[in-house]
């Protein structure tokens, strides 16, 4: 079992550009949550996808959008990048609604640097 | 007031000491997680609790649902235990505590 995988591991972008980050959940999990962790701070919840729909959303602007595919993998898209978007983006998978499993498995994260 | 509060924020101890990190929460939860984050970012889930006590190696986690309080204990601490330990509660999303930065000196 590969666990949760994320790609790419590191990314450097310029202000105003757009970026897409990818996450594959642990086998058997159907729910993907995305978190942003700025340097020295705790993770902040961005949104959660289940059954290809955004189920919950944190306090993030519409520049942050996502998608979930039929195979449960997910993408996080950020448009019009700002310097403040520089952070570690974490993906977590779980299966709370179908199996009642609240166990969270985290990917290694994608380190995004906006210059 | 934060929904999940941890204490202490920072903890430095000598190798071998018994470590306790505390977590209090104010929301109704389905489960509480203890997570470990090493420098470089990777987060590892240590425990998920909804009641009682769990033990894994030198790590012990307890939860008191009535008091809305959980503790993470490390016995015979070792420098490799140095990390940030985070308490997070699950209410269909993770609500995170601020973390406890633990440094174990040899």
């Amino acid at each position: 079992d590969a666990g949760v995988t994320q790609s790419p591991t590191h990314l450097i972008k310029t202000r105003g550009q757009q970026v897409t980050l990818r996450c594959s959940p642990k086998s058997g999990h159907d729910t993907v949550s995305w978190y942003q962790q700025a340097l020295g701070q705790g993770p902040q919840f961005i949104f959660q996808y289940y059954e290809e729909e955004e189920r919950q959303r944190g306090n993030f602007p519409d520049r942050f959008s996502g998608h979930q595919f039929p195979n449960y993998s997910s993408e996080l898209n950020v448009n019009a990048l700002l310097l403040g978007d520089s952070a570690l983006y974490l993906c977590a998978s779980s299966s709370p609604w179908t199996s009642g499993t609240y166990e969270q498995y985290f990917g290694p994260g994608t380190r995004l640097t906006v210059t | 007031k934060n929904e999940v509060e941890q204490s202490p924020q920072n903890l430095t101890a000598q190798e071998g000491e018994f470590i306790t990190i505390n977590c209090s929460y104010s929301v109704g939860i389905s489960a509480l997680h203890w997570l470990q984050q090493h420098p470089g970012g990777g987060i590892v889930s240590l425990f998920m609790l909804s009641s009682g006590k769990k033990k894994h190696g030198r790590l012990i986690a307890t939860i008191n649902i009535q008091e809305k309080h959980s503790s993470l204990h490390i016995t015979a601490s070792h420098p490799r235990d140095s990390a940030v330990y985070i308490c997070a509660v699950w209410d269909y999303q993770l609500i995170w505590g601020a973390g406890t930065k633990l440094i174990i000196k040899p």
Side-chain angles (χ1 to χ4, degrees), chain B residues 1 10 13 33 48-49 61 63 71 77 86 94 96 103 105:
Chain B
K1 184 173 168 33
N10 295 282
H33 296 257
M48 185 190 68
L49 294 162
I63 188 168
S71 293
S77 59
I86 306 168
L94 279 181
W96 303 76
I103 298 173
K105 294 185 174 180

Side-chain angles (χ1 to χ4, degrees), chain B residues 33-95:
Chain B
H33 296 257
W34 282 102
L35 306 145
Q36 180 193 58
Q37 187 171 33
H38 281 281
I43 290 183
V44 175
S45 179
L46 299 173
F47 295 104
M48 185 190 68
L49 294 162
S50 53
S51 65
K53 175 180 176 178
K54 286 190 176 180
K55 184 177 190 293
H56 182 71
R58 295 180 295 105
L59 300 177
I60 303 166
T62 64
I63 188 168
N64 184 318
I65 298 295
Q66 287 73 32
E67 295 185 3
K68 295 189 174 181
H69 181 269
S70 177
S71 293
L72 176 68
H73 305 286
I74 305 175
T75 62
S77 59
H78 190 276
R80 65 175 174 266
D81 297 327
S82 298
V84 175
Y85 292 83
I86 306 168
C87 168
V89 298
W90 174 256
D91 188 21
Y92 288 96
Q93 61 170 281
L94 279 181
I95 304 170

Side-chain angles (χ1 to χ4, degrees), chain A residues 33 35 37 42-45 48 56-57 88 90 94 96-97 102-104 106-108 111, chain B residues 30-31 33 35 37 40-45 47-48 86 90-94 96-98:
Chain A
S33 303
Y35 299 87
Q37 186 177 26
Q44 298 292 315
F45 174 71
Q48 183 180 84
Q56 299 190 77
R57 188 178 183 92
L88 179 70
L90 294 160
S94 58
W97 282 282
Y102 306 119
E103 199 84 51
Q104 299 281 304
F106 287 87
R111 175 76 62 186
Chain B
S30 302
H33 296 257
L35 306 145
Q37 187 171 33
I43 290 183
V44 175
S45 179
F47 295 104
M48 185 190 68
I86 306 168
W90 174 256
D91 188 21
Y92 288 96
Q93 61 170 281
L94 279 181
W96 303 76

Side-chain angles (χ1 to χ4, degrees), chain A residues 41-43, chain B residues 4-11 21-22 34-35 37 83-88 96-102:
Chain A
Q41 298 184 24
Chain B
V4 180
E5 297 206 342
Q6 279 184 244
S7 63
Q9 282 187 307
N10 295 282
L11 180 56
I21 300 171
N22 294 301
W34 282 102
L35 306 145
Q37 187 171 33
V84 175
Y85 292 83
I86 306 168
C87 168
W96 303 76
T100 295
K101 185 175 182 180
L102 174 65

Side-chain angles (χ1 to χ4, degrees), chain B residues 12-24:
Chain B
T12 300
Q14 291 297 130
E15 183 173 356
E17 286 189 36
F18 182 81
I19 303 299
T20 295
I21 300 171
N22 294 301
C23 175
S24 296

Side-chain angles (χ1 to χ4, degrees), chain A residues 33-110:
Chain A
S33 303
W34 287 92
Y35 299 87
Q36 179 197 65
Q37 186 177 26
L39 197 62
Q41 298 184 24
Q44 298 292 315
F45 174 71
I46 304 174
F47 43 52
Q48 183 180 84
Y49 276 83
Y50 169 65
E51 290 188 330
E52 301 179 48
E53 289 187 14
E54 183 183 290
R55 296 290 174 159
Q56 299 190 77
R57 188 178 183 92
N59 189 25
F60 278 80
D62 292 344
R63 298 187 297 110
F64 289 76
S65 63
H67 189 76
Q68 187 178 34
F69 298 94
N71 67 354
Y72 308 122
S73 67
S74 176
E75 288 182 349
L76 163 65
N77 301 295
V78 187
N79 294 323
L81 284 166
L82 303 173
L83 294 178
D85 295 331
S86 296
L88 179 70
Y89 289 84
L90 294 160
C91 163
S93 78
S94 58
S95 194
W97 282 282
T98 48
S99 67
T101 303
Y102 306 119
E103 199 84 51
Q104 299 281 304
Y105 288 82
F106 287 87
T110 294

